Amino acid sequence: MSKHILPHALQLPVIKKLKGKRIVLASNSPRRQEILRTFGIAPDIVPSTFEENLPISSFDDIHEYPVATATYKAVEVYEKLVMKEPDNAPDLVIAADTVVLTHVQPATSDISYSVLPTGNQELLEKPISKEDNLRMLLDLNGGVCEVVTGVTLVYPVLTSPGYTIKSIDERSLVYFADSPRHVIEAYVESGEGLDRAGGFAIQGLGGLLVRKVEGDYNNVVGFPAASFFTFLDLLVEEDSDFLDI
């Protein structure tokens, strides 16, 4: 068994193709590592040094922002490893970027959020203080936000520049419970939300604030595993050279 493929991995065609390959995750996120390991992939960890400072205003569709950031991360790590370790170049570099966006509110409770137009969505960054975290969560309380993860794969090909880039994005809606203020204040005091986009961690104490998720739960945590494996399967079917260079 390849060191990057764990014994419990499902024996899918793409898993068989990944055996013996060098798989790299361009992120130091323990959540992304844990999700990949859950499904049987244990990549090398080579965090990207990309500053993640692309101007939001340069994107006509804000959903393109995390995809672009993930692409810069993946390419930066791939090129760095090829230069530093040409005899041990990666066969697959995986990068991801997750953002939290505001979402339009429905006129009545009978309308699903998923069928509403997106409107002018705003990016919810990490809160800069506990006061900012409280403000953010009070705004979200009883409402909904959209979580978008861009995932980019970089892998070698025979044509210039020697690699190709493939990307997807996954979108989930997070419905917040109408929590009493003292619950939100207690969560803010825990400090857990300070290092999280949107000011909450659904897989931690922040789960108390969430009523339900529409879409992939893992996407909200930070990596859309189901779409990722579907994407890999599609590449195996459509690209005869995928993972064979």
Side-chain angles (χ1 to χ4, degrees):
M1 183 69 72
S2 164
K3 73 169 185 174
H4 294 301
I5 303 300
L6 302 175
H8 66 269
L10 296 178
Q11 293 307 296
L12 306 172
V14 71
I15 289 294
K16 294 175 181 178
K17 270 219 160 191
L18 285 168
K19 291 178 181 178
K21 306 297 184 181
R22 186 183 183 195
I23 308 166
V24 175
L25 177 64
S27 170
N28 207 26
S29 165
R31 295 172 295 281
R32 291 186 181 126
Q33 294 174 44
E34 182 180 358
I35 291 170
L36 284 170
R37 291 183 68 89
T38 295
F39 296 99
I41 296 179
D44 289 340
I45 306 302
V46 183
S48 167
T49 57
F50 179 66
E51 293 185 7
E52 302 185 35
N53 56 359
L54 298 173
I56 300 295
S57 59
S58 64
F59 296 93
D60 293 331
D61 182 351
I62 198 170
H63 298 87
E64 297 171 358
Y65 173 77
V67 175
T69 300
T71 298
Y72 276 100
K73 288 180 180 180
V75 170
E76 185 249 334
V77 167
Y78 183 86
E79 290 181 340
K80 176 173 60 180
L81 290 177
V82 167
M83 185 175 296
K84 286 186 175 180
E85 306 174 47
D87 294 331
N88 189 31
D91 297 291
L92 183 67
V93 172
I94 305 164
D97 185 59
T98 301
V99 299
V100 179
L101 306 173
T102 58
H103 202 275
V104 67
Q105 299 291 312
T108 73
S109 60
D110 295 331
I111 300 175
S112 171
Y113 284 110
S114 60
V115 300
L116 290 170
T118 55
N120 291 321
Q121 293 178 275
E122 297 179 3
L123 188 68
L124 297 177
E125 303 277 9
K126 296 176 183 179
I128 60 175
S129 64
K130 286 186 176 179
E131 291 75 19
D132 190 38
N133 198 176
L134 180 61
R135 175 199 61 77
M136 193 176 289
L137 291 177
L138 286 173
D139 285 346
L140 290 171
N141 194 37
V144 66
C145 70
E146 184 178 21
V147 179
V148 184
T149 301
V151 178
T152 294
L153 307 180
V154 174
Y155 55 91
V157 293
L158 296 176
T159 54
S160 180
Y163 61 83
T164 194
I165 300 166
K166 300 289 185 179
S167 300
I168 57 169
D169 74 78
E170 180 72 14
R171 310 175 190 188
S172 303
L173 296 178
V174 177
Y175 295 72
F176 286 84
D178 192 3
S179 300
R181 185 183 177 101
H182 72 269
V183 172
I184 299 173
E185 289 176 339
Y187 178 70
V188 169
E189 281 304 310
S190 77
E192 181 185 77
L194 286 175
D195 190 40
R196 313 298 169 114
F200 70 99
I202 194 171
Q203 75 279 14
L205 296 169
L208 289 175
L209 308 179
V210 174
R211 181 166 61 88
K212 70 172 183 176
V213 172
E214 186 177 315
D216 186 350
Y217 171 85
N218 282 318
N219 183 52
V220 182
V221 178
F223 194 83
S227 294
F228 170 71
F229 279 97
T230 299
F231 187 35
L232 289 178
D233 276 342
L234 185 63
L235 290 174
V236 169
E237 290 179 10
E238 294 186 347
D239 186 349
S240 60
D241 290 332
F242 180 56
L243 299 175
D244 285 338
I245 302 299

